[in-house]
Amino acid sequence: KTYVICRVLANVSAERPVVWFWFVPFVNLVNQTLDALITNAGDLSPVLFNDGINQEPRAGQVLISTTQGVSRAAWRKLNYDAGGGELARTPAEFVALAKATGLEVGVIVDEAHIALDQATEFGHFVKWLEPAYLCMATATPKNDRINQFLTSADMGSYESFNVSRDDVVRARLNKAFVEAVIYKLRETT
């Protein structure tokens, strides 16, 4: 899933000036995503969200964060223009600068079934970004929830792609199986 998304971003970025926001549900996936982008899409520039908003926006830049990292009611109440200063740019300042320089905004929501909901702070943030491109990746889709979000965000164009696990294994993009080992510890250990 991550490999395919990396390649799609690279292909779109080769044709269009897009700055990307990639959101994952868990902190342990941030570095994994960063590594995947470096390995599989060397033509993109991945960076952690908090570092990236303080850089000059550029085409092919990918700002990576957890969904929780941008889910802040305090930001939303101030139209995402809170927390800036001399040394820190706000999300609103970064997005305005990106759009002023002719960049489009793209959003990737990894494990979309977990976080993308019209009622969550994260859902509000994604709607606020008004992405030209929205990629929602999930191995366990909940179409009703995703469709409700798309409707609430006035995003009517929705295309779904399904790939079977067997096809993924045949393409050598995933392991055929995972081996689990159970260690039984004694009470003294």
Side-chain angles (χ1 to χ4, degrees), residues 29-189:
L29 296 177
V30 171
N31 283 334
Q32 180 179 321
T33 302
L34 189 64
D35 290 343
L37 281 161
I38 291 167
T39 302
N40 301 306
D43 37 356
L44 298 176
S45 303
V47 63
L48 298 177
F49 178 86
N50 290 333
D51 296 333
I53 64 171
N54 292 308
Q55 297 176 4
E56 292 303 309
R58 61 190 180 285
Q61 186 177 30
V62 184
L63 285 72
I64 304 166
S65 175
T66 61
T67 55
Q68 192 64 29
V70 296
S71 299
R72 300 181 190 173
W75 282 6
R76 179 178 45 82
K77 290 174 183 173
L78 294 172
N79 204 28
Y80 301 96
D81 201 18
E86 265 185 56
L87 301 175
R89 192 180 281 147
T90 68
E93 291 169 331
F94 180 84
V95 170
L97 184 57
K99 288 180 178 180
T101 58
L103 296 171
E104 294 178 295
V105 171
V107 172
I108 297 85
V109 182
D110 203 347
E111 303 299 346
H113 66 283
I114 295 174
L116 197 55
D117 190 301
Q118 62 184 347
T120 64
E121 284 300 330
F122 177 67
H124 289 294
F125 184 74
V126 172
K127 283 170 50 176
W128 172 82
L129 283 170
E130 296 180 329
Y133 306 96
L134 175 62
C135 175
M136 300 173 294
T138 178
T140 51
K142 293 181 181 176
N143 291 334
D144 289 341
R145 188 174 181 187
I146 290 172
N147 286 332
Q148 287 172 0
F149 173 80
L150 291 171
T151 300
S152 75
D154 294 326
M155 296 179 174
S157 178
Y158 172 59
E159 195 168 343
S160 176
F161 300 92
N162 295 307
V163 180
S164 74
R165 186 176 192 292
D166 290 340
D167 289 341
V168 172
V169 170
R170 269 193 297 281
R172 301 184 63 146
L173 295 173
N174 206 346
K175 297 177 182 126
F177 60 90
V178 176
E179 183 175 325
V181 178
I182 298 172
Y183 294 99
K184 291 187 177 186
L185 301 175
R186 296 191 167 129
E187 290 179 28
T188 58
T189 306

